[in-house]
Amino acid sequence: MTRILFATIPITGHVRPGLPVARELVNAGHQVAWYTGRRFEPLVSRVGAKFVPSSVGADGDVLQDMTGDRNGIGGFKRIIRELFVEPVPEYARDLSDVIDEFRPDVIVADHCFLAGPMVASRRGIGSVVYVVGPLAVSSVDTAPSGTGLAPSSSPLGRLRNRTLSWLVANVVFRDVQQALRRAAAAIDFPALDDFLTDWTVRIADRYLVAAIPEFEYPRSDLPPAVEFIGPMLPAGVDDWSPPDWWPELRAARRAGRPVVLVTQGTAATDPRQLVLPTISALADTDALVVATALGDLPDDTLPRPRPAGLRLERFVPYTELLPLTDVMVTNGGYGGVQMSLAYGVPLVTAGRSEDKMEVNRRVAWSGAGISLNTSNPRPERLRSAVTSVLEDSRYRERAQRLKAAYARYPGAPRAAEAILETAAGAAPLSAGDEGRPR
């Protein structure tokens, strides 16, 4: 039996993808503990893992609870500094106590929980990082993450990439780089010369990307720790029953009536940005519109009379809904986009907060959807985009080709295998080596 400690930033989109992996390990007879915020205790317990509460910060989703502007590269930078970098010393102290009590053979962290692999390295414990966002590893073939630019490996493109990478590291993100070095020094971890998005891939033994190469920008210099495993689909992890209107979905498919899923996601949750404009855009069409992730949507903000083809649910598992969907309208949450394409559903995306500008650029680059390049699309643009995706077969054909590619990657089972391989092969560091990156 292997003892496995999950340690994740308390953000819904970072916790949920790990649940099917933890379930695989628990079902195989291994002992799994999970350190994160108290909000996620029911989900962690449901897959059979031992919940270990974090004492750092509030008990909710730290990204949903974050106030202020999160758009563009400025918002991206603020999220990284305030949520991922500055709390590292507190998380590390908390995690050290958990390690002393649980004695894990391996530590598994999401790609934003820097304290996980850093503390694992200091303690001589193997570590696995799972990536639930667009791959941000620096490359000669890509612009820095957060710029939202398409890749280029041409001589001019690589010159652009080098120039922007220097500017981002030494000017735009200089204060964040300095904050990360201070955080590392506070826990006696040797600072790396790399850009901050490259620290975890340098430190961890395995760097598991919950996507496929066909949806990611090609890189000629990908680090050896990186492995694409496919999406970690959370089928069956939720306590959910279909609503009364569920049979209408199959009836719509049989009648050739389009089913449109619109979701605000789990991070940028104001439904006035995307859900309400989409409802307005499609109100007088024959589409069956299913709106989810509604946040705190007052009933009086919905159009009156309510469109006959509108169905509202605060939560529906995508694994249940996407097989019955023709197009997904989303602000570009990474997990939702991955699941949509894994089921061959083309997309319309509209979002620029957090890492969504990177996700949505990849949607357009892949040919599997349309990105509107805004967080606040007008109803007429949404209607035009949805119509184009439904009527132009190239979007669905591309999404279907990506679905076939996704099917070749096992996702959660492969992640579980890699975790056990790391636990079996990670030898403790000698006292003189403690603190160096593995």
Side-chain angles (χ1 to χ4, degrees):
M1 180 184 69
T2 303
R3 300 170 68 84
I4 302 148
L5 174 61
F6 281 69
T8 55
I9 200 85
I11 294 175
T12 302
H14 293 235
V15 174
R16 285 184 62 85
L19 295 172
V21 184
R23 183 177 57 191
E24 289 271 345
L25 293 163
V26 169
N27 290 346
H30 302 287
Q31 190 169 351
V32 179
W34 195 316
Y35 168 87
T36 192
R38 289 186 182 275
R39 169 175 176 163
F40 302 101
E41 181 175 3
L43 285 173
V44 169
S45 300
R46 193 170 295 133
V47 298
K50 175 187 177 183
F51 176 73
V52 182
S54 167
S55 66
V56 179
D59 291 335
D61 181 312
V62 295
L63 186 56
Q64 290 181 8
D65 295 342
M66 188 180 193
T67 58
D69 185 21
R70 305 203 305 255
N71 287 302
I73 198 164
F76 186 56
K77 172 182 169 181
R78 180 169 165 254
I79 289 167
I80 292 174
R81 183 182 66 247
E82 295 182 15
L83 301 187
F84 305 153
V85 170
E86 290 176 346
V88 161
E90 289 183 273
Y91 279 131
R93 286 190 288 271
D94 223 12
L95 200 55
S96 292
D97 292 339
V98 175
I99 291 170
D100 288 341
E101 180 177 344
F102 184 64
R103 313 282 307 171
D105 299 305
V106 62
I107 293 175
V108 182
D110 72 89
H111 71 288
C112 292
F113 194 74
L114 294 160
M118 292 170 78
V119 172
S121 177
R122 287 181 60 236
R123 300 289 292 264
I125 302 169
S127 65
V128 176
V129 166
Y130 65 82
V131 183
V132 289
L135 191 58
V137 173
S138 299
S139 171
V140 297
D141 301 315
T142 63
S145 182
T147 58
L149 296 173
S152 177
S153 58
S154 70
L156 282 177
R158 287 185 168 182
L159 176 61
R160 177 206 70 175
N161 299 338
R162 286 196 302 273
T163 303
L164 288 176
S165 294
W166 186 91
L167 284 171
V168 167
N170 294 283
V171 179
V172 180
F173 275 81
R174 181 182 178 184
D175 60 325
V176 186
Q177 288 278 99
Q178 292 171 339
L180 181 54
R181 292 191 178 100
R182 288 193 299 271
I187 63 171
D188 297 322
F189 189 89
L192 306 181
D193 294 330
D194 304 77
F195 186 52
L196 58 93
T197 58
D198 298 318
W199 277 44
T200 49
V201 76
R202 278 283 313 278
I203 300 166
D205 296 278
R206 304 288 185 95
Y207 199 75
L208 307 179
V209 183
I212 59 173
E214 290 85 347
F215 186 70
E216 190 49 73
Y217 298 152
R219 292 167 168 84
S220 61
D221 52 355
L222 205 60
V226 175
E227 179 184 350
F228 290 91
I229 62 170
M232 301 185 294
L233 301 177
V237 302
D238 298 292
D239 184 13
W240 176 83
S241 298
D244 292 341
W245 53 262
W246 196 255
E248 296 178 33
L249 293 170
R250 296 192 183 279
R253 299 300 296 275
R254 289 194 299 269
R257 181 184 178 192
V259 176
V260 178
L261 163 62
V262 56
T263 176
Q264 197 64 51
T266 60
T269 56
D270 184 354
R272 296 162 185 81
Q273 290 185 312
L274 185 59
V275 170
L276 289 179
T278 303
I279 291 172
S280 176
L282 303 177
D284 61 350
T285 70
D286 69 340
L288 178 59
V289 178
V290 181
T292 71
L294 303 175
D296 297 322
L297 179 62
D299 190 65
D300 60 8
T301 63
L302 289 168
R304 296 292 182 184
R306 186 174 296 180
L310 175 63
R311 302 294 177 266
L312 299 173
E313 291 293 330
R314 292 201 176 276
F315 175 76
V316 178
Y318 290 161
T319 51
E320 303 295 326
L321 184 53
L322 283 168
L324 303 171
T325 299
D326 293 294
V327 60
M328 181 179 187
V329 181
T330 171
N331 58 12
Y334 189 75
V337 166
Q338 292 296 303
M339 282 194 274
S340 185
L341 295 176
Y343 285 99
V345 178
L347 297 134
V348 172
T349 65
R352 290 186 57 79
S353 62
E354 299 89 33
D355 58 4
K356 291 179 176 59
M357 66 193 112
E358 291 290 344
V359 179
N360 295 337
R361 168 65 76 170
R362 283 161 171 79
V363 169
W365 173 80
S366 73
I370 294 174
S371 172
L372 298 180
N373 198 32
T374 179
S375 294
N376 297 280
R378 298 187 305 275
E380 56 268 27
R381 287 194 69 199
L382 284 162
R383 180 169 177 148
S384 176
V386 170
T387 300
S388 295
V389 170
L390 287 171
E391 294 181 353
D392 188 337
S393 62
R394 290 175 296 180
Y395 294 109
R396 176 159 290 277
E397 288 168 359
R398 181 57 182 157
Q400 289 292 316
R401 287 198 295 271
L402 287 172
K403 175 184 178 181
Y406 276 97
R408 296 194 292 270
Y409 291 81
R414 174 55 197 149
E417 287 178 359
I419 290 165
L420 295 175
E421 291 166 1
T422 303
L429 301 177
S430 64
D433 285 336
E434 184 173 324
R436 69 168 175 83
R438 295 184 64 88

